[in-house]
Structure formats: C-alpha cells, structure tokens
C-alpha cells in the first residue's frame, strides 16, 4: 500500500462519516502507471482490439495522456464489448470486456476508493476484497453451521444483479463517502458507456457491466448498504436465535438457528431488495432445512450449493456428524467439458506440451476444490481427464482408430498426470 493510500485509510478509519471531496489529484501519471502494473495483461480485448502490448509501448506517454484526460474531464469511456460464459445448463452469464486503457483507468480509481470503503465493509463480505478469498467464506460457513449444530439456511439468488443495479441508489450511496467531481463523473461515464454486442451499441438505463475492473467494488458498495449493514445492524438484534450472513459479491447465504427467524427474514428480504431495484429469483431462492440429522447410520438431509461446492451433512471417520463439501455437479460437469474442448483444439500439438498444460489445469483444479472430504470428486475429475486425453490422442492416428487403454497407460508412465491432493484441510483456513 502506497503512502497516499495509507493516508486515505487512516482518514477513513478515523471518521466513518467523513466525506471525501478532493481525491482527483491522486490520478497522476505515476499513479496511473502503478495501476497499469496491477492490471491483468492477458485479459480479453475490448472494442478497440488493443491489448497491453500496445499500451506498454511508450508507457510513460500513455499514462500521462490518460491522467490528463481523466482529470480534465475529456476522457470518453468506450462501450463495453459483451460476451457470454456458461452459468449453468440453461443460462449464460453476460460479461463485459472493456478496453485495456479503460481497465487501467478503472484500476486507478479502485486504488483510490478501496482504502476508503475497506474501512466500512463488514466481516461477512468476502468477494473481491484484499486478503479475502472464497475459501475463507467457505470456512466461515463451515464454522458457523458446526457451532450451531446445523441451521435453517436461506440460499438466495439475486436475479440479474449486475443488469438491475439501480444507478440512482448507487449515486446516493456513493454520496455518503465520495463527492469528488472528477471521480464521480468517471464512474457515471462507465455506467453509461453502453454495451457493444452483435455489431450494435445499446445503452441500458440500469446496471453495471460485468467484467469491468470497477464493477466488483461498486457491487460491494451497493450490497454493503442494501444487505450487509441492514442485516447485521437492523435484523440480527430482532432475531430470537443466532444467525449469520456470508456474502461473496452478489452470492450469499444466511443461516438461522430458528426456522421462524428464517421465514420472517425471507419475507422482508424481497421487500428490502425491491426498494433498491433488485429482485430474488423465485425458483433458485429457497429455505433449506440444514439441521443436523438425527439417529445413526448414513447422514442425509438438506443440501445447498455455494461457491462451487455442495454442502451436506456426512459422517466423519470417527462416526460424528459433520458438514462436508464436495464439488457441485454443475461445476464438475463444466470443468470436464472445458477439458474436452481444449483437448479437441490441441490434440495435434506436441504431447509433452499437452502433458505440461494438463498438469497446470489439474493443479489449478486441485488448488480450489482440494478440500477435506472431496477426494472422491477430485479422483473422478482426474479419471475423466485421462479418458479424454486418451480419446483425443487416439484421434491423431490415421483413420482415427484410437489407441488402447493399455497403450495409453504405458504412455502415462512416461507422462504422469498430477494426482489429486487435499490442499486445504478442515480448520486450516481461518477467516
């Protein structure tokens, strides 16, 4: 953290009601260059078709021009190129691809705003925040449900959050902390920049394009007021029993010791969101009986999916009821599909290179999904990768006759794939 960021942090922490009116002087060429260093260089290109390579040429000049344009108000935010990524079997999630120049300037603004709002955000929020991760959110859910001996859990889905975010309410929320004219005009320009899709540009009146560097911060600022503060400061004191909230960006779950509390909150939650232009998905939002199963034998009961894992009650090696996590079926199916597509595309590449790339993909999968109790799903994924690689290697032969599994097993002796391993054991990750 730079000296200026430390100063902003100290001022924001000292007075939680302080409103910052003069911050744009920080958008110097050096500040923009520091933002460039923190911006991903391998992201998808925007509507101008330019990447980091073009920006890196004459870096000092580009940073100076970007700084002057931003502070003078002459900067024009280009429309965001829209693409789609699979969300589940039936839906695709729209994602925005800003230009690289836009990403650098957005990162510059995030570096100014983040130290302010990090002093306001609550511990229940984990998404896209410094030194916080999805695994910490998962661990908090595990800890809370185990302490409560199970709970009544609200599995909530906000319908098209980034498309329905109300800009007027967002401006009102930002007014409480930041009123610097330069920064606020830049944010408005990004919100109104428009979306480029299928050769046409359209300008939605609500929402914030996904994929922008500043979008996660704006979503955290919005939901901090709409959800986090409201639940922790207004709702929890009125509840009969214990409760918790864990939010990762626009995905969140709520746990309650009492079913009556859960039902009451579910009723008022829809009204609360409606006030801010948001709505709950009627089919994906549900109340789950996640209380600890009684009796002996194999545990069963309610389950819910969160951050790529299915949470359920199982039995430990010592015969105790414990909350366990395994890779969600849709995430596992999606991961296998991506491997199949990659093998199809690269089947004629050098085998050593394929082996190296598959090793990277497997280790990345293990790094996220390697939680205690998920070994069976990790093995299933490895076996699927081995079968796919065997099939596509066989497609390289004349006539596509394929290769036998025995021949492929001999090949694995020369090119062994990484074996599954538990990267994060129970109680190892502390929020």
């Amino acid at each position: 953290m730079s000296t200026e960021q430390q100063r902003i942090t100290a001022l924001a922490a000292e007075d939680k009601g302080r409103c910052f009116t003069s911050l744009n002087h920080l958008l110097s060429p050096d500040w923009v260059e520091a933002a460039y260093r923190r911006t991903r260089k391998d992201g998808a290109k925007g509507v101008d078709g330019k990447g980091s390579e073009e920006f890196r040429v004459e870096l000092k000049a580009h940073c100076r021009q970007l700084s002057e344009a931003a502070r003078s108000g002459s900067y024009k935010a280009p429309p965001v190129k829209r693409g789609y990524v699979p969300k589940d079997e039936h839906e695709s999630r729209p994602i925005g691809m800003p230009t690289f120049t836009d990403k650098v300037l957005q990162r510059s603004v995030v570096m100014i705003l983040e130290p302010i709002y990090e002093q306001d955000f609550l511990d229940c929020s984990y998404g896209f925040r410094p030194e916080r991760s999805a695994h910490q959110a998962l661990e908090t859910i595990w800890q809370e449900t185990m302490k409560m001996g199970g709970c009544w859990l609200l599995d909530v889905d906000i319908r098209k959050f980034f498309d329905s975010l109300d800009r007027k309410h967002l401006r009102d929320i930002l007014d409480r902390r930041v009123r610097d004219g330069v920064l606020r005009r830049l944010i408005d320009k990004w919100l109104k920049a428009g979306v480029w899709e299928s050769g046409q540009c359209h300008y939605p009146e609500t929402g914030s394009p996904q994929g922008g560097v500043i979008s996660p911060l704006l979503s955290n600022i919005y939901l901090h007021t709409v959800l986090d503060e409201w639940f922790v400061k207004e709702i929890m004191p009125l509840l009969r029993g214990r409760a918790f909230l864990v939010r990762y960006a626009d995905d969140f779950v709520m746990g309650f010791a009492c079913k009556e509390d859960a039902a009451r909150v579910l009723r008022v939650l829809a009204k609360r969101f409606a006030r801010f232009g948001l709505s709950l998905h009627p089919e994906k939002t549900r109340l789950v009986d996640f209380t600890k199963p009684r009796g002996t034998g194999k545990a069963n009961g309610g389950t819910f999916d969160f951050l790529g894992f299915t949470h359920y009650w199982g039995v430990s090696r010592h015969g105790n009821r414990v909350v366990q996590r395994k890779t969600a079926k849709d995430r596992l199916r999606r991961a296998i599909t991506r491997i199949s597509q990659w093998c199809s595309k690269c089947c004629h590449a050098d085998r050593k290179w394929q082996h190296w790339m598959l090793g990277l993909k497997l280790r990345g999968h293990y790094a996220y999904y390697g939680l205690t109790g998920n070994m069976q799903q990790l093995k299933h994924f490895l076996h699927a990768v081995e079968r796919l690689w065997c099939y596509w290697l066989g497609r390289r032969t004349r006539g596509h006759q394929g290769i036998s599994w025995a021949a492929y097993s001999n090949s694995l002796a020369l090119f062994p794939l990484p074996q599954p391993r538990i990267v994060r054991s129970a109680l190892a990750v502390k929020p």
Side-chain angles (χ1 to χ4, degrees):
M1 183 180 291
S2 69
T3 303
E4 287 292 346
Q5 286 177 309
Q6 291 176 350
R7 178 174 171 273
I8 296 172
T9 298
L11 291 173
E14 180 183 339
D15 183 3
K16 294 295 182 70
R18 183 187 185 100
C19 184
F20 292 81
T21 58
S22 180
L23 294 168
N24 67 86
H25 65 278
L26 295 173
L27 288 175
S28 64
D30 289 341
W31 189 276
V32 175
E33 185 174 347
Y36 163 79
R37 307 289 181 195
R38 298 187 185 186
T39 304
R40 280 187 58 182
K41 310 299 189 295
D42 58 348
K45 296 180 180 180
V47 293
D48 62 356
K50 296 180 180 179
S52 60
E53 301 82 5
E54 290 84 354
F55 195 92
R56 187 170 61 247
V57 178
E58 298 183 4
L59 177 62
K60 297 288 184 181
H62 282 137
C63 291
R64 183 177 62 255
Q65 293 169 4
L66 193 55
S67 171
E68 292 173 356
R71 296 179 65 184
S72 66
S74 63
Y75 179 79
K76 295 183 178 180
V80 177
K81 183 179 178 181
R82 172 163 285 182
Y84 292 88
V85 295
K87 183 177 181 180
D88 53 36
E89 294 181 348
H90 309 290
E91 293 185 67
S92 294
R93 183 191 300 273
I95 185 167
M97 292 171 278
T99 64
F100 184 79
T101 300
D102 217 24
K103 292 178 184 178
V104 172
L105 187 55
Q106 288 187 26
R107 176 62 64 189
S108 302
V109 174
V110 168
M111 288 167 55
I112 297 174
L113 298 182
E114 195 171 67
I116 298 173
Y117 285 100
E118 275 298 313
Q119 312 315 307
D120 300 340
F121 292 157
L122 303 180
D123 289 340
C124 59
S125 169
Y126 292 89
F128 304 101
R129 294 181 57 190
E131 300 181 4
R132 287 184 162 245
S133 68
H135 289 109
Q136 290 178 325
L138 292 167
E139 182 64 18
T140 298
I141 294 175
W142 191 90
Q143 294 278 3
E144 291 293 335
T145 50
M146 288 296 293
K147 287 178 184 177
M148 296 167 65
C151 62
W152 291 88
L153 188 131
L154 280 182
D155 184 8
V156 184
D157 185 274
I158 305 177
R159 174 181 282 177
K160 297 182 178 179
F161 169 73
F162 284 94
D163 291 334
S164 56
L165 182 148
D166 188 283
R167 296 172 185 172
K168 182 182 182 303
H169 285 301
L170 176 61
R171 293 187 187 101
D172 292 340
I173 294 170
L174 288 171
D175 278 342
R176 303 175 189 176
R177 273 301 220 176
V178 177
R179 294 184 184 174
D180 181 278
V182 171
L183 299 188
R184 294 297 300 275
R185 278 195 297 272
L186 283 172
I187 293 174
D188 276 346
K189 287 179 180 180
W190 287 319
L191 292 174
K192 299 177 181 178
V195 175
W196 182 268
E197 184 177 9
S198 302
Q200 294 184 337
C201 188
H202 56 96
Y203 300 88
E205 296 184 358
T206 60
S208 172
Q210 289 181 264
V213 176
I214 201 168
S215 292
L217 178 61
L218 294 180
S219 69
N220 274 335
I221 293 171
Y222 198 77
L223 288 175
H224 166 74
T225 298
V226 175
L227 177 64
D228 301 353
E229 274 192 331
W230 169 75
F231 182 77
V232 172
K233 297 181 179 180
E234 298 183 31
I235 298 300
M236 288 184 67
L238 303 178
L239 301 178
R240 294 174 54 191
R242 183 170 178 167
F244 69 88
L245 164 68
V246 173
R247 180 175 66 82
Y248 191 92
D250 60 324
D251 295 325
F252 67 95
V253 294
M254 297 173 169
F256 303 86
C258 299
K259 183 179 180 180
E260 294 79 8
D261 288 339
R264 288 170 55 202
V265 171
L266 180 58
R267 286 195 297 270
V268 300
L269 186 62
K271 298 178 182 178
R272 172 70 177 180
F273 276 14
R275 284 181 52 192
F276 292 89
L278 304 176
S279 61
L280 304 181
H281 198 296
E283 297 176 0
K284 297 182 180 180
T285 299
R286 61 197 182 103
L287 178 59
V288 180
D289 180 0
F290 201 66
T291 53
K292 183 184 294 188
R294 298 180 179 275
T296 59
K298 185 177 180 180
N300 49 30
T303 66
F304 67 95
D305 290 352
F306 189 66
L307 296 179
F309 288 90
T310 297
H311 298 67
Y312 64 100
W313 282 98
V315 180
S316 71
R317 289 179 296 176
H318 303 290
N320 300 320
R321 304 292 192 188
V322 294
V323 176
Q324 295 183 335
R325 288 81 56 95
K326 63 181 179 181
T327 310
K329 291 181 179 179
D330 61 331
R331 293 295 185 93
L332 182 60
R333 185 164 48 248
R334 194 186 310 171
I336 294 173
T337 299
R338 284 198 295 262
I339 292 292
S340 178
Q341 293 170 346
W342 182 87
C343 288
S344 171
K345 180 181 178 181
C346 304
C347 68
H348 292 287
D350 179 74
R351 186 177 297 193
K352 289 184 179 180
W353 179 80
Q354 289 189 48
H355 170 256
W356 177 69
M357 286 298 298
L358 285 174
L360 291 180
K361 295 177 183 295
L362 283 166
R363 291 187 186 95
H365 187 88
Y366 301 157
Y368 185 79
Y369 291 102
L371 298 185
T372 298
N374 197 32
M375 179 58 76
Q376 185 174 352
Q377 294 291 75
L378 297 181
K379 290 180 178 179
H380 178 75
F381 181 67
L382 172 62
H383 185 58
V385 172
E386 289 176 340
R387 286 187 290 104
L388 287 169
W389 197 26
C390 173
Y391 172 78
W392 285 107
L393 285 177
R395 298 278 291 184
R396 291 154 50 120
T397 62
R398 184 183 299 271
H400 309 309
Q401 296 299 318
I403 60 176
S404 67
W405 183 257
Y408 174 69
S409 298
N410 292 333
S411 177
L412 281 180
L414 297 175
F415 300 100
L417 293 175
Q419 294 299 303
R421 66 189 188 96
I422 298 301
V423 179
R424 301 173 187 275
S425 60
L427 304 177
V429 180
K430 296 297 181 183

